[in-house]
C-alpha cells in the first residue's frame, strides 16, 4: 500500500465521518507573513509583486494558506492571494506565494516534507506514542503536510494529486496543513 493510498484512505474516512467542515469561499482574509529566510531578499520582492493582498476583499486568484497546525511553528504560517489567469500547477502557485517546499526522498516535487523550513530536521514532533523527527524519507505516516483544495463555492477536500500535477483555478483555495495523528482533520477556515 502506498503512502498516497494511506493518506487518501484516511482523508476519505474522515470525510465520511463528517469531519470536513462546510466553509465559505475565500473566508475573511489574513495578513501575509513572509518567512524569516525570505525577508529582504530579491525573491521576496518578486513574490510580493505576483501575490496580491487579500485585504481588499475576496481573492480573485488562488488563496494560499499554510497552517503549521499542532506544530505551532509560525515561521511556516502564511495566508495570501496569488494572481493567476487560468489553471496553474500548485507548485507554481506556491512559488509565486514565496512558500518554500522541500519534498520527500521518493517524491521530491509531489509532496511537501518541509514548508518554509518547518518542521526542522532537529525538531521533536509530539505525537501519540512519543516524539519523532521528520527525516523526509517517505516512512513518516503519522505526521505530514496535508494538501487541501477548496473550490470557489465549495468545501475543503483532500487533494487527490501532488503539488507537481494539481491544477488550481482562479477563485480556489489551497492549504498546506500540518497534521499529527490525523489532527487537525481538515482546515478550520
Amino acid at each position: 500500500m502506498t503512502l498516497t493510498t494511506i493518506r487518501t484512505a484516511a482523508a476519505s474516512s474522515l470525510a465520511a465521518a463528517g469531519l470536513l467542515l462546510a466553509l465559505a469561499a475565500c473566508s475573511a482574509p489574513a495578513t501575509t507573513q513572509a518567512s524569516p529566510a525570505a525577508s529582504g531578499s530579491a525573491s521576496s520582492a518578486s513574490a510580493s509583486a505576483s501575490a496580491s493582498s487579500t485585504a481588499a476583499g475576496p481573492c480573485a486568484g488562488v488563496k494560499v494558506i499554510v497552517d503549521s497546525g499542532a506544530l505551532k511553528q509560525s515561521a511556516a504560517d502564511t495566508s495570501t492571494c496569488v494572481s493567476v489567469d487560468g489553471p496553474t500547477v500548485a507548485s507554481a502557485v506556491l512559488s509565486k506565494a514565496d512558500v518554500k517546499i522541500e519534498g520527500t526522498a521518493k517524491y521530491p516535487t509531489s509532496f511537501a516534507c518541509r514548508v518554509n523550513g518547518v518542521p526542522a530536521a532537529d525538531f521533536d514532533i509530539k505525537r501519540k506514542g512519543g516524539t519523532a523527527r521528520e527525516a523526509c524519507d517517505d516512512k513518516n505516516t503519522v505526521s505530514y503536510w496535508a494538501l487541501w483544495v477548496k473550490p470557489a463555492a465549495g468545501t475543503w477536500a483532500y487533494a487527490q494529486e501532488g503539488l507537481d500535477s494539481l491544477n488550481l483555478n482562479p477563485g480556489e483555495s489551497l492549504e498546506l496543513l500540518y497534521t499529527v495523528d490525523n489532527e487537525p482533520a481538515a482546515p478550520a477556515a
Side-chain angles (χ1 to χ4, degrees):
M1 184 174 263
T2 68
L3 185 59
T4 302
T5 304
I6 292 168
R7 288 182 179 167
T8 301
S12 296
S13 295
L14 292 172
L19 295 176
L20 294 178
L21 304 173
L23 301 171
C26 291
S27 61
T31 59
T32 300
Q33 294 177 320
S35 67
S39 296
S41 70
S43 64
S44 179
S46 64
S48 296
S50 62
S52 62
S53 171
T54 59
C59 178
V62 173
K63 185 171 184 176
V64 173
I65 303 161
V66 177
D67 184 349
S68 61
L71 293 180
K72 298 180 180 150
Q73 298 287 299
S74 62
D77 296 346
T78 189
S79 179
T80 190
C81 182
V82 176
S83 296
V84 295
D85 294 330
T88 307
V89 177
S91 58
V93 171
L94 291 170
S95 179
K96 286 182 177 184
D98 201 26
V99 174
K100 306 290 188 252
I101 302 293
E102 179 183 334
T104 63
K106 188 173 180 181
Y107 303 102
T109 60
S110 295
F111 295 114
C113 172
R114 296 188 213 295
V115 176
N116 294 332
V118 173
D122 62 351
F123 183 80
D124 289 329
I125 302 166
K126 294 176 182 145
R127 59 183 183 88
K128 294 176 186 171
T131 60
R133 291 187 175 177
E134 181 56 73
C136 297
D137 60 6
D138 299 303
K139 296 177 184 171
N140 183 359
T141 60
V142 177
S143 58
Y144 57 92
W145 285 100
L147 184 61
W148 295 85
V149 179
K150 181 173 70 167
T155 59
W156 288 108
Y158 193 82
Q160 301 300 307
E161 294 183 59
L163 295 170
D164 58 356
S165 61
L166 175 66
N167 278 311
L168 299 165
N169 294 297
E172 291 184 320
S173 297
L174 171 71
E175 181 161 337
L176 283 159
L177 175 64
Y178 201 82
T179 303
V180 179
D181 297 317
N182 293 321
E183 294 295 329

